[in-house]
Amino acid sequence: MKTAQHGGRVTKLGTLKAKQANALFWSPSGKYIILAGLKNFNGQLEFFNVDEMETMATTEHFMATDIEWDPTGRYVATAVTSVHEMENGFTVWSFNGKLLYRVLKDHFFQLAWRPRPASFLSPEKEEEIAKNLKKYSKKYEAEDQDVSLLLSEQDREKRKALKEEWEKWVMQWKSLHEEEKLERQNLRDGEISDEEEDDEEAKEVKEVEFEDVIDVTEEIVQE
């Protein structure tokens, strides 16, 4: 009702009939409402979009006693307090009825959302943003993609630099090892180390000939 163009005008949108609800919970931002069946209805929940006059989700929180929207209207919590001796705890849903988080907690008494400061935007600006949300979304998604590509490129360059540094380090030690080979042999009275001996043997190629009997057949020839 309180929009930039319509400051309090009431218009009938429609009538909902045959709903299992005995309590209504409006989102703080409007547009969405929960039709709740508490007490005798055992926690039936219907998440309803009033602008489109359609049900977004139907679910239940068995034995629910309390329902609280968060100040932004993006999330809603349903709870079973210690009024009941069973099923105490709370569940957090998205505004359209998607289950996000569930906690069972004995002797659960109350759930309260952190208050949020008032918006710095004027009602006119908020309405303008809401109307052009798709345009803003595309803009910010493109910016996010650019940042993601930049970070990916930076990661690739970092991995490449680390690999080059490692290969350089390995080559330096291989070179030093080769330079000290003669000195190691002199310390061993001309004998090379076992490791180097194994390396030398690995480099040798030996050719071996062998014969193998595949099959033997005896045949008796009668004259």
Side-chain angles (χ1 to χ4, degrees):
M1 293 170 56
K2 295 181 181 180
T3 63
Q5 287 78 19
H6 308 291
R9 188 180 68 183
V10 177
T11 303
K12 180 179 178 179
L13 300 178
T15 302
L16 305 180
K17 297 181 179 180
K19 296 291 184 181
Q20 289 193 358
N22 54 17
L24 306 177
F25 296 88
W26 278 100
S27 164
S29 60
K31 186 175 181 178
Y32 305 113
I33 189 173
I34 294 178
L35 312 177
L38 305 180
K39 299 181 180 179
N40 295 334
F41 291 148
N42 291 326
Q44 296 292 325
L45 304 173
E46 182 175 352
F47 291 78
F48 195 81
N49 184 332
V50 180
D51 283 0
E52 304 297 332
M53 293 299 289
E54 64 179 11
T55 299
M56 298 181 293
T58 301
T59 183
E60 104 176 336
H61 184 171
F62 183 61
M63 300 175 67
T65 58
D66 297 76
I67 296 179
E68 294 286 343
W69 281 93
D70 90 302
T72 68
R74 291 182 294 175
Y75 307 101
V76 63
T78 57
V80 179
T81 64
S82 57
V83 171
H84 297 298
E85 295 181 358
M86 301 170 54
E87 301 292 329
N88 290 175
F90 66 92
T91 301
V92 179
W93 313 80
S94 66
F95 71 93
N96 57 356
K98 180 180 179 182
L99 175 62
L100 301 177
Y101 189 64
R102 174 172 288 164
V103 173
L104 293 176
K105 190 173 183 64
D106 291 337
H107 308 297
F108 183 77
F109 289 94
Q110 184 182 21
L111 182 145
W113 289 97
R114 177 178 66 88
R116 296 177 65 89
S119 174
F120 291 107
L121 301 176
S122 65
E124 292 79 9
K125 185 61 177 178
E126 289 184 354
E127 187 170 355
E128 186 269 330
I129 291 175
K131 286 183 177 179
N132 297 281
L133 189 58
K134 290 184 178 179
K135 181 180 71 175
Y136 289 119
S137 297
K138 290 181 179 179
K139 174 187 175 183
Y140 294 125
E141 285 173 1
E143 292 181 359
D144 289 343
Q145 186 175 9
D146 292 340
V147 172
S148 178
L149 291 174
L150 177 61
L151 292 176
S152 297
E153 183 63 28
Q154 291 175 347
D155 287 340
R156 283 194 294 270
E157 292 295 331
K158 184 178 180 180
R159 289 195 298 270
K160 182 180 178 182
L162 289 173
K163 182 180 178 182
E164 291 176 351
E165 183 180 355
W166 165 255
E167 291 175 346
K168 181 180 178 181
W169 183 84
V170 171
M171 291 302 297
Q172 287 177 345
W173 279 101
K174 282 186 176 180
S175 177
L176 181 61
H177 186 268
E178 190 65 26
E179 291 174 1
E180 295 176 345
K181 181 177 180 180
L182 182 59
E183 184 177 352
R184 290 195 302 275
Q185 285 184 264
N186 292 334
L187 291 174
R188 293 184 174 88
D189 296 328
E191 296 292 334
I192 62 176
S193 67
D194 294 339
E195 182 181 348
E196 291 170 338
E197 185 177 3
D198 292 340
D199 292 340
E200 293 296 329
E201 290 179 355
K203 294 177 182 178
E204 295 181 2
V205 178
K206 295 183 180 180
E207 184 175 335
V208 179
E209 294 183 3
F210 67 93
E211 294 182 0
D212 193 7
V213 178
I214 304 300
D215 190 16
V216 177
T217 303
E218 293 185 1
E219 182 177 352
I220 301 176
V221 179
Q222 296 181 352
E223 296 181 354

